[in-house]
Amino acid sequence: MSLPAAVPLGEFATLFNFLPIGAYRSSPDGQMIRSNQALVELNGYATEAEHLAAVKDIAREWYVDPLRRGAFKQQLEREGFVRGFVSEIWRHKTRERIWISENAHVVRNAQGEVLYYEGTVEDVTERIRNQEALRRSEEQLRQITAQVPGMVFVVHVAPDGRREYRFVSSGVRDIYDFDPEDLMRDPMLIARYRHPDDQAVLEQDMQQIRQGPVDLGGEFRVVMPDGQIRWVYRRSCTVSSDASGFLRVGVLLDITGRKQAEAALHESEALWRLAMDSTGDGVWDWNLATGEEFFSGRILAMFGFDEGELANLAEALDSRTHPDDVAQMLTDRQAHFDGHTPVYRNEHRVQCKDGSWKWVLSRGMVIARDSAGQPLRMVGTHTDITELKQAEAQQRALETQLRESQKMEAIGTLAGGVAHDFNNLLAAILGNLALAREDVGEHHPAQESLTEIGRAAIRARQLVQQILTFSRRQKQEMQRQPLTPLVEEALGLMRSLLPAGIQLVTRLPAATLPVVADATQIQQVLMNLCTNAWQAMDGRSGHITVALREVRLDAAQALQLGELPSGTYACLSVADNGPGMDPEIQHRIFEPFFTTKAPGAGTGLGLAVVHGIVKTHRGAIDLQSRPGEGARFDVYLPLASAGHVPEVVAAPVTAPHQTCEAPGKHIVYIDDYEAMVFLVGRLLRKRGYRVSAFGSGEEAMDWLQAHPQAAVDLVVTDQNMPGMSGLDVARALAQERPGLRVALVSGHVSDTLKAAAAAVGVIEVMGKQDSVDALGHAIRELLERTAPAC
C-alpha cells in the first residue's frame, strides 16, 4: 500500500526533530517517509523536504553494499527490531563513505499489517576507524611476536595477585600446546602446568611483583598432560603501574632441547669416565710394530685372569683363540689392514683360564699408518657375547623343533585324510562282502574265502584306526578290556618292524590283567617304547625285553611314582641293553621335542606322547637307567575292578540275516561316495525297503521337486558333501516338504553340529557306522520310533 509523503508524529515531533542522532521513518520497500534534522545533516542536506525529495531507494542510494538493506529488512521482519546494525553508507549528497549504527523497529496497524519502520542512525565512523587501527596494530603485533621463538605476553597483575592477560602470542602453542585464547580466558592455566617442585619459586615471584616494579628471570619446569616435562626460560618486567596493579611484559622460551643436551653431555662425560673401569667391553691397544698389546682390566677379568697373569703381547690372546676360528679372524684383520673394510669386526672363541670357552665380538680400527700405508697401531674392544651365542643356538634348535612339529602335523593331516578315504573303501568292501556271503549261501565253497577276505578287511580297518589315532582324529575310547592280548597283538606287529640284530624277548603272564584303557593308545605306548629302545642301539645288535606283571604299590611307592593311589597295578616294562642315559638326559627325556638323536633322526615327540597317554589313563611311568647299562621304562596302569565297565566282547563275523524291517517304507539315501550309494541302496532293498539313492544333495532335491506326490518315509543324508551339505539338504526340505523326517550321518558328530541340525528339524544325527549292516539297523530303529513293530 502507499503512504502519504509525511505522517504527523504527534506529541513526539519535538523530540524527533531535536534528537542528537539521526531518526527516520521508512516504508518497507525502502522509501524514506520522515527524517529528523540530524539525519538530514548527516546526509549533507539542509531541510527534511530536500532530503526526502532526493532519496528514492535506500538500498541502492545509501548502503555501500546494497545487500545490507535486505539483511536489515530480514532481521526486522523476523524479530520485529534491529539493534546495533553497523553498515557502511554513502552521505547521500556528498557521496562520502561513513559508518553508521542503526536501531529500528516495525510499526503495525491493528490488523497486524506493517505500516512503516522507525529507527535511529548514529555516525560511528571514528569508532570503526579506531577499531580498525587497533586491529591492524594488534595484527602487526601478532606478526612481529610470531617471529619471536617462544611466548610473548602482556599481563596485568592486581595487588591481590589476580592476573589478566592482555596479549598472548601464538608461540604459547609451542610450549604448552594450547591456544592464546585459552590462557586469556583462564589466567591460572599456566600456573597449573608448573612442576610441583617449582611452585615455591612461582610464589616468590608473585611476592616480588606485589612489592613493586621488578625484573624477573629464571628457569622452571612444566608438566604436560601426558607427563612429559619441559624446561622454560622466563624474562619479564613491569612497564607501568597504578592503583589497579602492574602491567608487565615478558617472554617465555622453550629450552628443553638445551637442557637435554646438557644432561646428555653430563651423562656422556660420566659414562666416559666409567668406560675403562665398569663397561662390559674390554679395551685393547695393539702396537703392530712391536707386537705389544695393552689389555684393560675388564679383558683380563673376562677370561678369568688377574693383573700380570697374561703377557701384554698380541700372541697371548691369539694363542688362546679356538683353532676353528683362527683362519676367519686373520682374514678379517687383513681385510681391514688392506683398507677393504673401514672397521675390523670378528666373532671368535677364546679359552679362559679355567679351560672354558667364551665367545667374544672383537672390533677395532687402525689409527696410525706409516708413509707406505702399513698399519702401526690399532685400538678396539672385546665384548662377551657368549650368552647371545647360546641364545642363537637355542633359537635355531627351537626353529628346527618347530619345523619338525609342522612336518609331523602335515603328515598327520595327510594320514588322516588318506585314512578317511580308505575307511570309505573298507566300508564298501565289508558291506559288499556281507551281501556276497548272504547271496552265495551258508554252505557255499566261497564262504571260506569270503571269511578270509573279511578278516583281512577288519585288520585293515584296525590299521586305519591306528592311522587316525596318529593324526589325532580318533576320539579316545576307554573300555574295560584285558591288557595281555593287547600287548601280544602289538608285539606281533613289532616283530616285523625290528631291524636285523635286535632280539625281542617277552615275558607275559597267563593272567589277562583287565584295565580300563583305549586299546589303540596302549598299543601305541608299547610300540613307541620299543621303537625308542632299538633306536637307542644306534645300529648295534642287542635285545629288547617286554614284560607284563601284576604289582602291588603301597602308599610310599605310589606317591614316589607320581601321587598315585595305592593299590594293584599292571606293570608293563620295556628294557634294552643299549648305552643308557645320564641323570641330566633322564631329567628331560619326557620333554616335548627333546631328543638325543642326530638332526633328522627323531622329533622328540615319541616319549612325550607316551607320557601323555599314560597320564590320561590315570597311570604313571618310571625310568631306570645308567650310562652303559641300558634303560628300562615301567608303565603302571591301575587294574580294573570286576564291576567297573562292561568288558568289550568282539562280535563274531556272521552273515547278515534278513528280518521283517518295514516292508514298503520309502527311504531316500544321499551320499557323494558312489560305492556307498550303490551298496546302501542294495542292502536296504534286500531288507524290504523302497530306496531312492542319489550321489548329491542337488540330485536328490531335483528328484523330490519333480515327484511332489511321491511318499517318502525317511531321508538319510551324509553331512560332508561337495555342493549341498547334509544341513543344506535338511534346510531345503524344511521349505519344500515340511514334516518330512531327515537323519544326518557324519564322521565327526559334535555339539555344534547337533545344535545346527536340530535348528533345521533333523530328527537324528548319527556317527559313521562301523558297517553298512549297522547302518541298516540304525535306520530301522529310526522308523520304529513312529511305526509299530512288524
Side-chain angles (χ1 to χ4, degrees):
M1 69 178 181
S2 62
L3 295 173
V7 178
L9 294 175
E11 59 186 48
F12 296 104
T14 302
L15 177 62
F16 178 78
N17 287 323
F18 288 95
L19 279 173
I21 61 176
Y24 66 89
R25 281 182 181 173
S26 68
S27 65
D29 60 1
Q31 182 180 356
M32 189 67 71
I33 300 173
R34 289 296 310 273
S35 60
N36 71 349
Q37 188 61 29
L39 184 59
V40 170
E41 293 175 358
L42 183 144
N43 281 282
Y45 294 103
T47 65
E48 179 185 14
E50 184 181 5
H51 180 218
L52 295 179
V55 177
K56 303 301 182 184
D57 188 337
I58 295 175
R60 291 197 297 274
E61 298 173 353
W62 201 22
Y63 291 102
V64 173
D65 180 3
L67 298 178
R68 293 295 288 169
R69 173 64 181 175
F72 178 85
K73 183 177 179 182
Q74 184 179 15
Q75 187 173 344
L76 263 179
E77 293 175 348
R78 184 179 66 250
E79 301 179 7
F81 62 87
V82 172
R83 292 193 181 94
F85 191 80
V86 177
S87 306
E88 190 178 17
I89 67 165
W90 303 100
R91 291 185 189 272
H92 196 273
K93 187 172 183 179
T94 64
R95 306 311 288 170
E96 177 188 357
R97 292 166 64 160
I98 63 173
W99 288 87
I100 63 168
S101 176
E102 294 183 77
N103 299 296
H105 68 275
V106 177
V107 178
R108 302 177 185 274
N109 60 18
Q111 289 74 37
E113 298 173 333
V114 177
L115 297 179
Y116 46 80
Y117 302 153
E118 283 185 344
T120 62
V121 179
E122 181 181 4
D123 186 347
V124 294
T125 302
E126 184 175 357
R127 188 183 79 191
I128 294 298
R129 288 173 179 170
N130 289 340
Q131 290 176 350
E132 180 62 22
L134 178 61
R135 187 194 65 77
R136 287 196 299 269
S137 175
E138 291 177 345
E139 180 61 27
Q140 290 175 354
L141 179 60
R142 278 192 291 270
Q143 291 177 356
I144 292 172
T145 57
Q147 307 308 311
V148 178
M151 163 188 160
V152 179
F153 63 90
V154 178
V155 61
H156 183 268
V157 183
D160 61 0
R162 287 183 294 106
R163 282 169 283 183
E164 178 188 356
Y165 284 89
R166 305 284 176 82
F167 175 79
V168 178
S169 72
S170 60
V172 69
R173 299 190 189 97
D174 299 331
I175 302 176
Y176 293 97
D177 295 338
F178 53 68
D179 294 327
E181 295 77 16
D182 297 330
L183 182 57
M184 298 179 74
R185 282 193 300 267
D186 183 1
M188 296 303 295
L189 190 56
I190 281 183
R192 290 195 289 272
Y193 276 68
R194 277 286 183 108
H195 194 285
D197 295 345
D198 295 342
Q199 288 291 348
V201 178
L202 176 62
E203 294 301 325
Q204 294 174 5
D205 293 345
M206 291 306 302
Q207 291 178 7
Q208 294 183 56
I209 292 173
R210 286 194 290 267
Q211 292 172 0
V214 63
D215 292 349
L216 295 175
E219 300 172 353
F220 59 89
R221 290 162 293 177
V222 297
V223 182
M224 305 305 294
D226 61 0
Q228 177 188 359
I229 295 178
R230 294 179 181 173
W231 278 93
V232 176
Y233 172 78
R234 180 208 49 208
R235 189 74 187 173
S236 67
C237 63
T238 301
V239 295
S240 66
S241 62
D242 53 27
S244 65
F246 306 91
L247 190 66
R248 299 179 61 80
V249 297
V251 62
L252 297 180
L253 301 176
D254 186 346
I255 59 171
T256 305
R258 191 193 79 192
K259 283 290 186 178
Q260 291 174 340
E262 290 175 355
L265 178 59
H266 293 156
E267 182 179 0
S268 176
E269 292 174 349
L271 289 174
W272 179 247
R273 286 194 297 270
L274 294 173
M276 294 296 290
D277 299 324
S278 60
T279 183
D281 293 347
V283 180
W284 48 266
D285 188 341
W286 182 13
N287 186 329
L288 280 80
T290 64
E292 294 178 305
E293 186 170 1
F294 162 77
F295 303 116
S296 70
R298 180 58 187 166
I299 283 186
L300 296 176
M302 186 182 299
F303 302 120
F305 293 100
D306 294 328
E307 194 73 32
E309 289 188 334
L310 193 67
N312 289 326
L313 295 172
E315 177 62 22
L317 273 189
D318 283 356
S319 64
R320 306 188 72 86
T321 301
H322 196 286
D324 294 345
D325 301 337
V326 171
Q328 187 62 49
M329 180 181 70
L330 296 178
T331 300
D332 291 341
R333 279 185 190 172
Q334 194 61 45
H336 178 60
F337 291 161
D338 295 342
H340 299 313
T341 58
V343 177
Y344 163 68
R345 188 182 189 281
N346 175 261
E347 296 177 0
H348 58 270
R349 287 161 287 182
V350 176
Q351 190 174 34
C352 300
K353 180 181 177 180
D354 62 4
S356 63
W357 293 91
K358 278 192 176 180
W359 276 97
V360 295
L361 168 61
S362 184
R363 289 168 290 191
M365 178 179 291
V366 171
I367 60 173
R369 294 178 181 269
D370 61 17
S371 58
Q374 294 301 312
L376 297 176
R377 184 183 177 192
M378 185 178 183
V379 297
T381 61
H382 278 338
T383 305
D384 185 349
I385 59 171
T386 305
E387 292 185 0
L388 177 61
K389 284 292 187 179
Q390 291 172 346
E392 289 176 350
Q394 184 178 11
Q395 176 69 18
R396 288 192 295 270
L398 289 174
E399 289 174 354
T400 300
Q401 292 172 359
L402 177 60
R403 285 193 295 271
E404 288 295 325
S405 176
Q406 291 172 337
K407 180 177 71 175
M408 295 302 295
E409 182 69 22
I411 293 173
T413 302
L414 175 62
V418 171
H420 180 269
D421 291 340
F422 195 46
N423 224 10
N424 284 337
L425 294 172
L426 286 174
I429 291 172
L430 288 169
N432 281 289
L433 176 64
L435 292 175
R437 295 183 66 190
E438 181 180 309
D439 290 342
V440 300
E442 182 179 355
H443 302 291
H444 195 280
Q447 282 289 356
E448 183 177 355
S449 298
L450 294 175
T451 299
E452 289 304 315
I453 293 173
R455 294 183 189 278
I458 290 172
R459 180 60 187 143
R461 168 159 288 181
Q462 293 172 348
L463 179 60
V464 170
Q465 298 305 313
Q466 294 183 28
I467 295 175
L468 289 173
T469 299
F470 168 75
S471 66
R472 298 183 181 179
R473 297 190 178 190
Q474 187 70 12
K475 65 181 182 180
Q476 192 178 50
E477 295 184 359
M478 305 292 285
Q479 297 175 329
R480 185 180 187 274
Q481 51 195 313
L483 181 58
T484 304
L486 293 181
V487 173
E488 291 174 340
E489 182 179 0
L491 290 175
L493 178 61
M494 195 70 224
R495 284 188 175 90
S496 63
L497 298 177
L498 289 176
I502 302 298
Q503 181 182 2
L504 183 62
V505 180
T506 60
R507 296 173 183 170
L508 304 182
T512 57
L513 300 182
V515 294
V516 177
D518 182 298
T520 303
Q521 291 188 350
I522 293 300
Q523 291 178 335
Q524 182 180 356
V525 166
L526 181 56
M527 296 190 70
N528 282 9
L529 291 176
C530 290
T531 301
N532 186 75
W534 69 257
Q535 287 180 344
M537 305 291 186
D538 197 20
R540 298 184 296 270
S541 60
H543 61 263
I544 299 172
T545 301
V546 177
L548 183 61
R549 67 189 187 279
E550 179 179 335
V551 296
R552 175 76 185 181
L553 297 179
D554 58 27
Q557 293 172 319
L559 181 63
Q560 185 177 5
L561 284 171
E563 300 184 358
L564 294 177
S566 59
T568 307
Y569 288 79
C571 179
L572 175 63
S573 300
V574 177
D576 64 72
N577 62 343
M581 291 172 273
D582 59 34
E584 182 179 354
I585 293 178
Q586 293 182 50
H587 182 68
R588 301 186 57 193
I589 197 67
F590 294 112
E591 291 182 10
F593 301 115
F594 176 75
T595 179
T596 59
K597 301 179 181 68
T603 66
L605 290 174
L607 293 179
V609 170
V610 167
H611 186 271
I613 292 175
V614 172
K615 285 296 184 182
T616 60
H617 283 72
R618 296 181 301 161
I621 185 169
D622 187 36
L623 168 62
Q624 301 292 330
S625 180
R626 288 183 182 179
E629 298 183 11
R632 190 186 80 209
F633 290 89
D634 294 324
V635 175
Y636 294 88
L637 299 174
L639 289 179
S641 59
H644 197 280
V645 179
E647 189 166 333
V648 178
V649 179
V653 180
T654 60
H657 58 283
Q658 187 164 350
T659 61
C660 178
E661 304 281 352
K665 293 291 186 180
H666 186 189
I667 308 296
V668 171
Y669 180 76
I670 308 170
D671 196 309
D672 61 320
Y673 184 38
E674 183 179 355
M676 290 299 294
V677 172
F678 172 78
L679 179 61
V680 173
R682 185 181 174 201
L683 171 73
L684 295 179
R685 291 186 186 96
K686 288 177 71 69
R687 299 295 182 269
Y689 297 108
R690 290 189 298 115
V691 181
S692 298
F694 303 96
S696 69
E698 291 84 353
E699 184 181 348
M701 289 305 304
D702 289 343
W703 185 87
L704 288 167
Q705 291 170 354
H707 301 81
Q709 304 302 321
V712 177
D713 297 289
L714 179 66
V715 175
V716 180
T717 175
D718 189 26
Q719 162 61 10
N720 297 315
M721 298 185 294
M724 292 184 71
S725 66
L727 285 175
D728 293 334
V729 171
R731 196 175 292 110
L733 288 175
Q735 297 290 330
E736 186 73 23
R737 291 199 180 187
L740 178 56
R741 291 178 296 172
V742 180
L744 208 62
V745 179
S746 174
H748 178 64
V749 179
S750 64
D751 293 338
T752 302
L753 178 60
K754 289 180 179 179
V760 296
V762 173
I763 63 171
E764 183 72 19
V765 178
M766 300 183 293
K768 288 280 189 180
Q769 302 297 325
D770 291 336
S771 67
V772 178
D773 200 32
L775 176 62
H777 289 301
I779 291 174
R780 183 189 65 185
E781 291 177 358
L782 284 178
L783 291 172
E784 287 179 348
R785 291 181 184 178
T786 56
C790 59

